[in-house]
Amino acid sequence: MAPLLHVSDLRTYFFTFGGTRVVKAVDGVSFTLEAGETLGLVGESGCGKTTTCLSLVGLLPPAARIVGGSIRFAGEELTGKSPRELRRLRGRRIAMILQDPMASLNPLLTIARQVGEPAHFHLRLRGRPLRERVLGLLRAVRIPSPEVRCREYPHQMSGGMRQRIVGAIALAAEPQLIIADEPTTNLDVTIQAQYLNLLKEIQQQTGVALIFVTHNLGIVAKMCDKVAVMYAGKIVEQSPVRELFNAPQHPYTRALLGAMPKLGRREPLYAIPGQPPNLADPPSGCAFHPRCPEVIPRCVSESPEEVVAGNGHTARCWLVQPDVEVSRGRPSA
Amino acid sequence: MPRFIAQRVAYSLVTLFLLSMTIFVIVRLTGDPALLMAEPGARPEDLARIRAQWGLDRPWPVQYVSFIRNVVRGELGRSFNYRLPVSELYFQRLGNSLQLALAATLISVCIGVPAGIVSAVRVNSWWDNLGKAVALLGLSIPGFWLGLVLILVFAVWLRWLPTSGAGDWRHLILPAVSLGWYFAASLLRLTRSSMLEVLGSEYIKLARLKGLPEAVVIGLHAFKNALIPVFTLTGVNLVIMVNAAVVIEVIFAWPGIGRLLFEGIFQRDFPLVQGVVLMAGFMIVLVNLVVDILYALIDPRIRLTR
Ligand SMILES: Nc1ncnc2c1ncn2[C@@H]1O[C@H](COP(=O)(O)OP(=O)(O)O)[C@@H](O)[C@H]1O
Ligand SMILES: [Mg+2]
């Protein structure tokens, strides 16, 4: 069976200063996602994670455009669909949770209205069935006394509650895929853990697939089946989650893992030296070479192709040896 | 909250007190009203009698105290010129000024708000540039100049509308357009910037991510939020236009408060000028007070930090 989502060679560029400057925010991204699966998308900020997600739902900022590649979702090609068709898809089959729970809810509309909207517009629910649905959703995300809360406004809720309400909105029309763009970055740690548990639980109940964007590898280990590591608009390494932690191939992945806090470790955290590149003027060759501890002359001149390093494991680095058996036995799709 | 209100009320009273002193002094710098009230060629004794009759022979502080004492009792004094209580004259004219201000508000809202929304939704388009040009013209062309041009074109050349005076709705059009012109431009700019700010917000992004029709996103989610400052400005401006349409009312001979004030200044009618200015100040201070308190009630952040 075809995967739920198959993105191949996606390119989304920003055209700024009247089109004189091109920022390749997403530059040849490919990945697949099966129904019910969770993909973690990690990388430092500015590497193109949000732009990748917005490309999937067809809601890019005015300066950005998908210039190449394909997005196949449940057998349908999404690139080139009309804004109207994309709108019908959004919130109905692909939902998205934004970064800032405090700012994501409309301050002047009731919770009931905001949670009910996707079911109202996509599923055509009205009156009592709509109300039942809203209450059910609020219960599903553990809002206490939903009958009272649904008549309230966002400012009457705590940050954690608001983010759960945003979760309820995402679930409202029973989508097949939820994209969560750093949904817990602005929550404090205990609330963050509760929220992640809730998402996981809901995923088990509904079988929804999840793309989880984060720069926290700890969350990836907890939440995801597989991971894609992004750097400067490209996926530099992609693998099942366990394998990425056990046998990271790309020096950037190793640097990210090295920068992760570990329990009981005394020595100071290793921070990745240097800054992520400016995508308007990226380095030659491999974009990571100016910061790479293992750089070789070839990295400066040539950009490495994707190499199969194991089962479902690929990396873009000149130092990675192809896993001949896997490459030959299962040609990458 | 009660402390906040008390503080605001105190500020308002101080403002009105300073205004009353200022207008009291300024009006007395315009000259001697007895000269205008007496027959031409009146003798100095006659002038002195007139001054004594209206209490103008007393020292300024005494006159000021009696002015304020009357105001506190709700009396604005008696007009030198009309020989009638100022409050009676004021309320006679208030209806006309209100009519003109409402018409001007209606015109400017009907132009400024939709144009501002279109400019924001189609930002940097042809429409937006047209809107920017209109706003710039509106803010830089004075209302009285526009009034004169409108009279020339529509009343003198085309003879479609009367040049001046009050009567049916046709008398209202030219002064209302001249008065509302500036406000339409400022409303356009405020609506545009307020709408742009809201359209860039996360909750509008989420509304679009829900797959709502664009009409719902703009018309409900964005409009409702963008309109709060627009409504406030409209309310405040209505009050200002009622009280401060002096030039337009004079040009169009519109029998409103502004024209009353103008006549008062010309006649050195101290009680009339003082009364009208103080009433205008009172209404403007009051509307600002109400807006401050309403904002505090709506926005818990304002309430808590004060
Ligand atoms: N509106 C914009 N105009 C121009 N460039 C942009 C805009 N938004 C984002 N970018 C560029 O796109 C790149 C990727 O941004 P983004 O997808 O937000 O990264 P992430 O979500 O990983 O932090 C950034 O380097 C940024 O410079
Ligand atoms: Mg981002």
Side-chain angles (χ1 to χ4, degrees), chain B residues 33-52:
Chain B
L35 288 173
L36 297 178
M37 283 191 272
E39 306 284 317
R43 289 166 305 163
E45 305 92 86
D46 296 330
L47 293 178
R49 195 174 37 76
I50 292 173
R51 282 190 210 109

Side-chain angles (χ1 to χ4, degrees), chain A residues 90 103-104 106 114 117 122, chain B residues 203 206 208 210 212 221 225:
Chain A
R90 274 199 300 273
S104 294
N106 192 320
Q114 300 191 55
E117 269 175 338
H122 293 299
Chain B
Y203 58 82
L206 185 65
R208 293 208 163 109
K210 285 175 181 177
L212 303 183
H221 284 251
N225 284 279

Side-chain angles (χ1 to χ4, degrees), chain B residues 142-154 156 178 248 251-252:
Chain B
F144 72 85
W145 188 84
L146 180 73
L148 294 174
V149 171
L150 290 180
I151 291 177
L152 197 64
V153 174
F154 291 98
V156 177
S178 313
I248 298 295
I251 289 176
F252 289 96

